[in-house]
Amino acid sequence: MTILNYLFLLLIEPIKLMIEVIYFHAYKITGNCALAIVFLSLAVNLLVLPLYNRADDLQLKAKAKEDEVRPMAAHIKKVFKGDEKVMMLQAFYREMGYSPINTLKSAVSLILQIPFFMAAYYFLSELKMLHGISMGPIADLGKPDALLTFGNMNINLLPILMTGINVISSFIYAGKQSVKDKLKLIGMALVFLVLLYGSPSGLVFYWTLNNVFSLVKNIILCIRKRSPEDTVKNTNKPDKITNAIFLISCGILAILTGLMIPADVVSQNPAELINSYGTDLHSPVLYLVSSVMIAVGTFLIWIPLFYYLLKEKAKKIISVILATMAAVGAINYYVFNKNFGFLTKKIIYEQKMEFSVKDMILNLLADLVLAGLVVFVCIRKKKLVRNGVAILLAGVIFLASLPCIATAVFSAGYNHSYHNSPEDIKISMTTEGQNVVVIMMDRMISAYIPYIFNERPDVAAQFDGFTYYPNTISFGQYTNFGSPALYGGYEYTPAAINARSDEMLVDKHNESLCVMPQIFSDNGWNVTVGDPSYANYNWIPDVSIYDYNENIKAYQMAGVLNSRSQILVDCGEDFETRLNRNLFCYGVMKILPYVLQPMAYSEGAYGYMNFAYDGYVDASYQGNSLHTQSGYMESFIQEKTVLDNLDDMLEITSDPTNCFFMLANGTTHEPTLLTEPDYTPAVFVDNTEYDNAHEDRFTVNGVTMHMDTSYLTYAAYECNMAACIALGEWFDYLRENGLYDNTRIIIVSDHGDERLTQFDDLLVEDLRFNAQSVNPILMVKDFGSMGFTVSDVFMTNADTPLIAFEGLVEDPVNPFTGNPMTGTDKTEDQLIYISDNLNTLENSGTQFEDPDGYWLTVHDDIRDDDNWALYDGAPY
């Protein structure tokens, strides 16, 4: 960053953030861009009206004082010369209490307009949603209005109208001032005309409204005939305690929102906050610089500036408000800090932000009690306040030191080589020996397979040799519950994990990820692992868990390969914008009461409309319909890029040494609409016509899949289809290179999707349970197998290791527990853990614990309601 960047963050970005948030919520209310601009102009002008009024007071006083000293000063300049003139003027100015510097006060209003103008200019000129939006005779708010046309020349009328209003307002404001002063104001109006003439009409419309507001204000002032004697006089002496409380409260808020909370995010999600879209893999700690600068600009520059211009009575009120905000903000973060799953790279929660009524009431009561206590102490207990100032100051220093220490430690340990490069990734497969490939497709829906293959027979043909097991369960609805057994077998079901209550969950999870790679390695196989699920309980897997075995090649793939997707390369700037802005916004959101946090969070947009129009969407499905979507799902493209590049990462060898490859991929985890029938990403998708014309594709063998329940039904189906297409293309590549027949391939998922209710026979009515949430994909292609078959044998995803070892590893033994790896009697009940506590930051002890969690049992056939039951108690 340059000095200008830092100055922008300090002085302009806080105002720009305010404008963005006001516009965002104005648009949400009105649904109209022009009305939102009107609301924005009105709101901003009302918010800064006290500031401008105070500036006008200063300007009026300065002008009056200047008029008072001008005659005598002119006389001195006329009578005296040289040093004598300077000395006489200094003596006269000192006697009159006047300084030439006071002339700057006459320009306060203009100086204040500059940052507000710059903030509005950067926001509205970059606001992509204005493009193509009309307003009356103006065809496009994203372009100059061009209301008049002469031949090939367009004339923009709105800037001229804006200037006319500005000139009229200036003449009214100037009143009886000199012609010279009036010419200055006209000159400034012309400067704005030059600056804005070629700007988007939406921006010019906003500034025209500001000029209208200024005109109305000046007319009112003219009617009132305001004089210097009418200006506010600060008759009270400055209150040092009030000022100290105000400044310390501002310091606490700046530290909380700009440093402590963002530093906490960075320290817990370091790998996730690395911009992998470009070649400059800088430390995520650098994003803290932006959040700190914005916080300093907000709480230590602009708010104190407003405070300075207030009269003493108002200062006391503001100091109490800021002290209350600081106290309430601290308790909201340290006591009521509630998370909603992992934070993605864009500071968006994996789960929807929802608070229970009970939690909101409890939080609100605590905030109100604390606020009342702060107000009482500030107003009634002056001595206590005096003593508290020193304590607050010590607390500020202490709070500031903690994130600084953590950041310093993290920075010292940060290594740019933490992410392997795309060129480093080598997946070994042999043409002469045998290969085993386990592909864990996160959240892949088993029941979709018949419909996908019905719609795309060409894809079905690519899966020749596979056996499909639709009657399969997982042991939980989420990755932390359902994936350990998939990787490590039946010793890693939730019940078995909880039985080992003296070990940390993360250690048992990591152990499960190492079972298959370690056993194959011990048997002399070449082993490659890609993106192991939640390794070290990190969203971006920490592949260092395999460092203990140099024979296991482990790579991060999702994100590392982004440079091979032009879409992802293009979104690198968007990523930087989000992190530089949203770490501070996240900090502000976390100090608010529960009742206000969803509004501040705004589905991950944090009050910025452009994130919905930059062409990249993430966890939010706002504004999308069953058949239409605006924007790319960046996380889907990132995961699918791995599947698309599997052939490039293959290292094909004729060495007879057997090879094992284990990959976890999230293409099916990121529901998104794709352009049909090719199922490719597009910045705008409209499948309405295709979907209406091909409704019959969702009925197979007399069973209809419900597709009209929500946006997610089509989005989930289409991302599963895209995954099957990509895998089918890779299978063709294996065939072409003599690697298909000698390869055993297992496609399996950790769970289904609890949000989807598309199959009547998967709804367990007695338990009000959706079995689709624990019905993972399981398809197996063995060596030399041909044809596509369906087996109704009851399976679990914990059978995966034994399927992988079958006929290759004799009597496999878990290398970490020493126990033989065996299956389970499928005629007996299988225990499934049902819990929504998927956040591994919170659920990270020694056992899966959730007061609202429960256990279910099932056997033989998941589509038979009689086979399901509620398990009473804890099975360990």
Side-chain angles (χ1 to χ4, degrees), residues 296-550:
V296 169
T298 302
F299 294 107
L300 297 179
I301 294 179
W302 279 107
I303 291 179
L305 177 60
F306 274 75
Y307 178 82
Y308 169 75
L309 294 172
L310 295 174
K311 56 185 180 180
E312 294 302 319
K313 186 176 181 180
K315 286 182 179 180
K316 291 180 180 180
I317 296 173
I318 295 299
S319 68
V320 172
I321 292 174
L322 266 293
T324 302
M325 288 176 59
V328 168
I331 195 174
N332 282 338
Y333 184 66
Y334 288 107
V335 179
F336 292 96
N337 186 6
K338 185 176 179 63
N339 296 312
F340 300 88
F342 283 109
L343 279 175
T344 69
K345 296 170 75 72
K346 295 181 179 179
I347 318 298
I348 297 175
Y349 282 121
E350 186 188 22
Q351 296 173 279
K352 185 176 181 180
M353 177 181 283
E354 289 181 327
F355 296 100
S356 67
V357 175
K358 177 182 176 182
D359 287 344
M360 285 195 290
I361 292 174
L362 180 64
N363 171 251
L364 190 59
L365 287 175
D367 286 350
L368 290 174
V369 169
L370 182 60
L373 181 63
V374 171
V375 172
F376 175 77
V377 169
C378 289
I379 295 176
R380 298 291 184 182
K381 301 293 183 180
K382 293 294 182 69
K383 290 184 179 179
L384 185 58
V385 170
R386 289 190 183 95
N387 296 331
V389 167
I391 297 173
L392 279 172
L393 184 59
V396 170
I397 296 172
F398 173 72
L399 290 174
S401 66
L402 294 179
C404 292
I405 294 171
T407 300
V409 171
F410 175 77
S411 298
Y414 177 79
N415 183 356
H416 287 278
S417 64
Y418 182 74
H419 272 259
N420 45 265
S421 68
E423 292 73 24
D424 294 333
I425 303 174
K426 303 296 181 185
I427 303 170
S428 297
M429 292 188 72
T430 176
T431 57
E432 301 302 319
Q434 293 178 307
N435 305 292
V436 173
V437 175
V438 175
I439 302 177
M440 199 288 277
M441 297 300 301
D442 200 333
R443 200 195 271 164
M444 191 170 187
I445 309 298
S446 175
Y448 284 168
I449 294 300
Y451 301 88
I452 289 173
F453 287 177
N454 173 63
E455 179 180 351
R456 291 290 297 268
D458 57 319
V459 175
Q462 292 171 318
F463 280 73
D464 179 59
F466 275 88
T467 298
Y468 166 50
Y469 296 91
N471 191 24
T472 301
I473 62 158
S474 62
F475 293 91
Q477 295 176 301
Y478 300 104
T479 300
N480 54 334
F481 309 131
S483 69
L486 181 159
Y487 291 111
Y490 288 94
E491 283 193 276
Y492 299 94
T493 64
I497 284 177
N498 278 2
R500 296 164 59 181
S501 58
D502 58 341
E503 301 172 63
M504 299 300 294
L505 285 173
V506 63
D507 295 331
K508 290 176 280 192
H509 183 90
N510 290 344
E511 187 179 288
S512 71
L513 293 171
C514 295
V515 169
M516 283 192 286
Q518 184 62 49
I519 291 177
F520 276 115
S521 176
D522 289 343
N523 282 268
W525 289 51
N526 288 326
V527 175
T528 308
V529 177
D531 288 336
S533 308
Y534 281 11
N536 227 14
Y537 268 10
N538 286 337
W539 179 257
I540 293 182
D542 179 4
V543 295
S544 67
I545 67 169
Y546 297 101
D547 286 351
Y548 74 94
N549 188 337
E550 62 181 10

Side-chain angles (χ1 to χ4, degrees), residues 605-854:
Y606 297 96
Y608 186 42
M609 285 305 303
N610 253 7
F611 289 156
Y613 289 85
D614 272 342
Y616 308 101
V617 295
D618 209 308
S620 171
Y621 304 116
Q622 238 175 333
N624 298 325
S625 69
L626 284 174
H627 312 290
T628 62
Q629 174 181 291
S630 177
Y632 296 112
M633 176 70 77
E634 167 266 330
S635 50
F636 163 83
I637 298 172
Q638 180 169 274
E639 294 290 339
K640 186 172 179 291
T641 299
V642 176
L643 299 184
D644 291 338
N645 285 273
L646 285 175
D647 51 354
D648 292 334
M649 295 184 287
L650 273 187
E651 187 176 56
I652 302 173
T653 176
S654 58
D655 186 322
T657 303
N658 297 329
C659 298
F660 172 69
F661 173 43
M662 185 175 82
L663 171 69
N665 184 262
T667 301
T668 47
H669 188 273
E670 309 298 330
T672 183
L673 294 185
L674 302 165
T675 301
E676 296 170 330
D678 296 329
Y679 293 93
T680 54
V683 71
F684 183 75
V685 174
D686 186 352
N687 290 327
T688 305
E689 184 177 349
Y690 183 88
D691 288 338
N692 290 337
H694 297 84
E695 289 182 349
D696 58 341
R697 62 186 162 143
F698 298 123
T699 299
V700 176
N701 297 327
V703 179
T704 299
M705 174 171 61
H706 303 302
M707 297 296 292
D708 57 354
T709 54
S710 75
Y711 160 84
L712 282 175
T713 55
Y714 278 94
Y717 174 81
E718 290 175 24
C719 74
N720 275 258
M721 171 68 86
C724 288
I725 292 172
L727 288 172
E729 291 173 352
W730 189 57
F731 297 156
D732 282 346
Y733 180 83
L734 296 182
R735 290 184 180 93
E736 294 168 4
N737 289 274
L739 292 167
Y740 194 72
D741 290 338
N742 66 328
T743 299
R744 174 181 291 166
I745 304 173
I746 304 170
I747 301 174
V748 61
S749 58
D750 47 353
H751 54 82
D753 196 328
E754 80 287 352
R755 301 169 297 177
L756 301 173
T757 54
Q758 297 174 275
F759 300 94
D760 294 336
D761 57 356
L762 287 175
L763 294 175
V764 185
E765 294 185 2
D766 292 344
L767 301 177
R768 296 183 179 179
F769 176 69
N770 177 20
Q772 189 173 350
S773 64
V774 291
N775 179 213
I777 188 72
L778 179 60
M779 295 199 298
V780 180
K781 186 203 80 69
D782 213 343
F783 303 112
S785 59
M786 299 177 66
F788 183 84
T789 58
V790 179
S791 172
D792 287 325
V793 173
F794 181 48
M795 303 288 284
T796 81
N797 62 356
D799 292 319
T800 301
L802 291 178
I803 296 173
F805 297 142
E806 185 178 358
L808 303 173
V809 178
E810 187 176 354
D811 299 326
V813 174
N814 187 322
F816 304 102
T817 65
N819 297 323
M821 297 190 66
T822 58
T824 184
D825 186 352
K826 302 293 174 45
T827 61
E828 296 182 355
D829 287 337
Q830 305 297 308
L831 281 163
I832 301 173
Y833 183 53
I834 305 300
S835 168
D836 289 329
N837 192 7
L838 73 162
N839 187 350
T840 56
L841 299 178
E842 296 176 356
N843 198 355
S844 58
T846 60
Q847 294 180 312
F848 295 125
E849 296 178 333
D850 180 2
D852 298 321
Y854 58 95

Side-chain angles (χ1 to χ4, degrees), residues 266 268-275 284 345 410 414 418-419 538 540-541 556:
V266 170
Q268 293 188 37
N269 306 273
E272 290 89 330
L273 301 183
I274 295 174
N275 187 352
K345 296 170 75 72
F410 175 77
Y414 177 79
Y418 182 74
H419 272 259
N538 286 337
I540 293 182
Q556 293 171 332

